[in-house]
Amino acid sequence: DAGITQSPRHKVTETGTPVTLRCHQTENHRYMYWYRQDPGHGLRLIHYSYGVKDTDKGEVSDGYSVSRSKTEDFLLTLESATSSQTSVYFCAISPSTDTQYFGPGTRLTVL
Amino acid sequence: GENVEQHPSTLSVQEGDSAVIKCTYSDSASNYFPWYKQELGKRPQLIIDIRSNVGEKKDQRIAVTLNKTAKHFSLHITETQPEDSAVYFCAASKDMRFGAGTRLTVKP
C-alpha cells in the first residue's frame, strides 16, 4: 500500500459537534482527495486538493471544509456533524490526475 | 457533470466461469477509466485501468475494454476464483465519478 494513513480510524460523535479527520501521506504526491462511501452510492468525492492551499469542491461538498497547509497533510472538517454524515471516509492520493491510491478509511458515526 | 452507471449491482458465478461488469459514462471529456476492487472492510485497490487512446488492456485473468463512441467500458474476469469475490467499482476521470459498485460472488 502507498504511504498513506488516516486518523482516527473510528470515531463516534454527537450531532452538532465539530469533527476533523486527518489524511497523511509520505509519497509527496501533489493531489489528495476526500471521499465518502455509503451503501448503494459507491465513492463520492467531497473535496480535493491539487497543491498546498489549493483546494476545490467535489460532488458532495455541503457541510464539509478542507485544508492543506503542508504537502503531506489533508484535513477534512465537519463543522457541525449531522446524522447524514455517518459514513466511511476515504482519503486518496495521486501523483497526477488519474491513478489514485486509497487510505485505510475512517468509520464515522454521528449519533 | 459526469455520470457513471454500473451494471449489474450483484453478480454470482461458479468458480472457473467468466464475469463481466459494464459501466457507461456521459462526459466525453473523461479520458481515464480505472477499476477498483474492494474486499470487505478494506480500502479500494486499483486492479486495472485504461486510457481513452487504447481500446483494450489485459493483465493475466483480467481485462478492460473501452468503446469511446458508445461511452462504455467493461471489466472481464476469466477463470474466476473464490478470492475474486469482492465489490468492484468503475470510475471515469471527469469529476472523478465512481459507479455504485458490483458485488461479485464466486461460488466454489
Side-chain angles (χ1 to χ4, degrees):
Chain A
D1 294 325
I4 177 170
T5 58
Q6 292 184 230
S7 58
R9 294 293 313 281
H10 302 271
K11 187 170 182 66
V12 179
T13 190
E14 294 187 350
T15 298
T17 60
V19 176
T20 295
L21 309 182
R22 181 187 184 225
C23 177
H24 179 78
Q25 62 148 328
T26 57
E27 304 294 325
N28 201 36
H29 285 342
R30 176 181 177 188
Y31 297 86
M32 298 185 76
Y33 307 80
W34 276 109
Y35 292 88
R36 61 177 290 173
Q37 184 173 40
D38 306 287
H41 289 278
L43 292 143
R44 291 182 291 175
L45 182 64
I46 304 171
H47 282 280
Y48 65 98
S49 170
Y50 46 96
V52 174
K53 298 187 179 179
D54 291 324
T55 65
D56 207 347
K57 297 179 180 180
E59 180 186 359
V60 290
S61 60
D62 287 349
Y64 301 95
S65 62
V66 290
S67 66
R68 190 170 179 198
S69 58
K70 298 185 290 185
T71 298
E72 57 266 35
D73 289 323
F74 192 32
L75 304 180
L76 177 70
T77 297
L78 291 66
E79 301 290 347
S80 177
T82 67
S83 58
S84 64
Q85 293 175 312
T86 291
S87 187
V88 179
Y89 291 85
F90 285 99
C91 175
I93 62 175
S94 178
S96 63
T97 56
D98 46 40
T99 307
Q100 297 186 7
Y101 303 95
F102 285 85
T106 294
R107 184 173 296 276
L108 175 67
T109 302
V110 183
L111 301 175
Chain B
E2 176 66 279
N3 182 47
V4 176
E5 295 191 356
Q6 184 172 345
H7 299 280
S9 56
T10 61
L11 180 58
S12 181
V13 300
Q14 288 295 134
E15 183 177 0
D17 287 350
S18 295
V20 180
I21 303 170
K22 298 180 179 180
C23 287
T24 61
Y25 62 100
S26 60
D27 196 327
S28 56
S30 285
N31 58 9
Y32 174 71
F33 306 92
W35 285 91
Y36 289 87
K37 175 183 179 182
Q38 187 177 29
E39 297 175 350
L40 189 63
K42 301 290 184 62
R43 72 187 78 188
Q45 296 214 308
L46 179 73
I47 55 171
I48 197 167
D49 55 15
I50 192 167
R51 287 176 171 77
S52 58
N53 59 346
V54 176
E56 183 176 4
K57 183 177 178 180
K58 289 184 178 180
D59 184 2
Q60 299 182 356
R61 294 186 298 108
I62 60 174
V64 57
T65 59
L66 171 66
N67 183 327
K68 287 192 297 182
T69 302
K71 294 195 183 69
H72 66 71
F73 56 110
S74 299
L75 177 71
H76 305 255
I77 306 174
T78 59
E79 301 173 23
T80 54
Q81 301 166 3
E83 50 266 39
D84 294 328
S85 296
V87 179
Y88 291 81
F89 294 97
C90 64
S93 56
K94 185 69 170 64
D95 302 328
M96 282 313 305
R97 290 296 174 92
F98 281 74
T102 296
R103 181 175 301 280
L104 173 64
T105 303
V106 181
K107 299 178 182 177

